[in-house]
Amino acid sequence: MFIIGHRGAAGLAPENTILAIKTAIDHNVDAIEFDIRVTKDKKLVLCHDDTFLRIAGNSSKVEDLKLSEIRKIRTNSKQNIPTLEEAIKAAGKTPLIIEGKSGGWAKPLAEVLKNHKAPGVRVISYSHRELFVFSELMPDVSTFVIENHHPIEAMLLAKKLGFTGVSLAAWLYSPVAYSFAKRHNLELITSPINPTWRIRLFHFFYPKAMITTDFPDRVMNHNLRRKRKRIKK
C-alpha cells in the first residue's frame, strides 16, 4: 500500500507547512503531497488557495505579493508560509507529489528541481497546458493530470500528451477505469481518503493506486506494527 500524506499531513498538522511535512515523515508515509503557487516575483510557495484568507486571515492573493512580503505572513496556527526549496529540504529523502496550482509555475518549478535534489518527484495539476509545458522542460519527471469528472477522457489525454498517469477523485474509480489505466500503463493517484476502513477497502479493489490521506497515522502506523509482528515471528 502506497500512502501519500495530503498537504503534508493536513489532518494532523497545519496544511502545507514544514510542520505538516515533518509530521508526515514521522508517520512513515511513502510520499508527501503539497500545493505550490507563484508569487509576484516568480518564486514558489506552498499554498492551496489563491489567497491567504482561509489560513491566515489575509485576503491578499499569492500572485500579487513578493516573496519578501509573504515571509511576513503568519498563519492562524503561527506557522510560516514555506518556499518550495524549504519544503524540499524538510522532506529530505521522502518522495514528493507537487501540485501546481493555477498557472505560471512550470518554468520556476523546473528551475528549482534542476538546482535542488528531490527524489521520486511527481507533479500533478488541473492545468493540463501548464503541466505539458513542465513536461517539456523536465521530461524525466513524472506528470499526472488531475480529474474529478471524466476518468477515461483524462487517461486518453494523459496518454496522448505523454504524461505518466492521472490523479482521480476517489469516487471515479471503477473496475473499468482501473483496467483501462493498467492496460495503458498509466499510474494512478487518488484524491484524499480518510476513514481507515475505506482506505483498506479501496486498496483491496485497486491495489496499484497510490492513496492520498489527511491522516497517514491511521494506516502507516498500523502497517508498521504488522511488519514488526511478522519480523518477531
Side-chain angles (χ1 to χ4, degrees):
M1 187 184 298
F2 191 102
I3 294 295
I4 302 166
H6 182 232
R7 302 183 196 172
L12 306 174
E15 67 178 55
N16 286 321
T17 62
I18 298 301
L19 178 59
I21 290 171
K22 292 182 176 179
T23 300
I25 293 171
D26 287 343
H27 290 290
N28 307 295
V29 295
D30 297 298
I32 298 168
E33 185 267 355
F34 52 69
D35 309 289
I36 57 167
R37 286 187 179 272
V38 182
T39 67
K40 186 176 182 179
D41 49 351
K42 305 304 178 185
K43 305 299 181 182
L44 294 171
V45 295
L46 272 60
C47 189
H48 178 272
D49 302 349
D50 60 345
T51 76
F52 298 107
L53 183 61
R54 179 174 58 86
I55 62 170
N58 186 323
S59 61
S60 300
K61 287 189 173 183
V62 178
E63 64 183 14
D64 291 338
L65 298 181
K66 293 181 178 179
L67 179 58
S68 59
E69 297 172 296
I70 292 174
R71 287 201 179 279
K72 298 175 183 177
I73 297 174
R74 295 294 179 273
T75 68
N76 298 329
S77 55
K78 309 303 179 186
Q79 301 294 311
N80 298 326
I81 308 295
T83 64
L84 175 58
E85 292 90 337
E86 290 167 343
I88 290 173
K89 182 178 179 180
K93 296 180 180 179
T94 304
L96 300 177
I97 314 289
I98 301 174
E99 180 175 344
K101 289 290 187 180
S102 192
W105 50 265
K107 291 182 179 179
L109 176 57
E111 287 301 313
V112 171
L113 293 180
K114 286 176 183 177
N115 296 319
H116 295 79
K117 291 183 179 180
V121 173
R122 297 173 175 86
V123 177
I124 66 176
S125 184
Y126 286 101
S127 177
H128 305 161
R129 179 173 296 182
E130 196 74 12
L131 193 65
F132 181 74
V133 172
F134 174 80
S135 69
E136 291 285 284
L137 295 169
M138 300 286 286
D140 294 332
V141 176
S142 297
T143 45
F144 292 70
V145 171
I146 303 178
E147 178 58 43
N148 290 337
H149 300 288
H150 307 290
I152 301 300
E153 290 180 18
M155 292 179 198
L156 289 171
L157 176 67
K159 195 69 178 176
K160 179 180 179 181
L161 296 180
F163 297 149
T164 311
V166 293
S167 177
L168 298 177
W171 58 84
L172 292 181
Y173 280 81
S174 68
V176 172
Y178 186 68
S179 296
F180 190 90
K182 287 177 64 178
R183 191 181 316 127
H184 292 279
N185 297 314
L186 293 169
E187 295 183 17
L188 293 168
I189 298 174
T190 70
S191 62
I193 305 174
N194 289 322
T196 306
W197 68 268
R198 283 193 62 201
I199 292 173
R200 292 178 186 161
L201 185 63
F202 186 94
H203 177 67
F204 176 80
F205 285 108
Y206 312 114
K208 296 295 184 181
M210 292 174 271
I211 298 173
T212 306
T213 182
D214 294 311
F215 297 93
D217 60 317
R218 296 177 180 177
V219 181
M220 298 308 293
N221 288 354
H222 174 80
N223 285 349
L224 190 60
R225 286 195 297 270
R226 290 181 64 184
K227 287 179 183 178
R228 285 173 178 166
K229 286 180 179 178
R230 286 199 296 268
I231 291 171
K232 287 180 180 178
K233 290 179 180 178

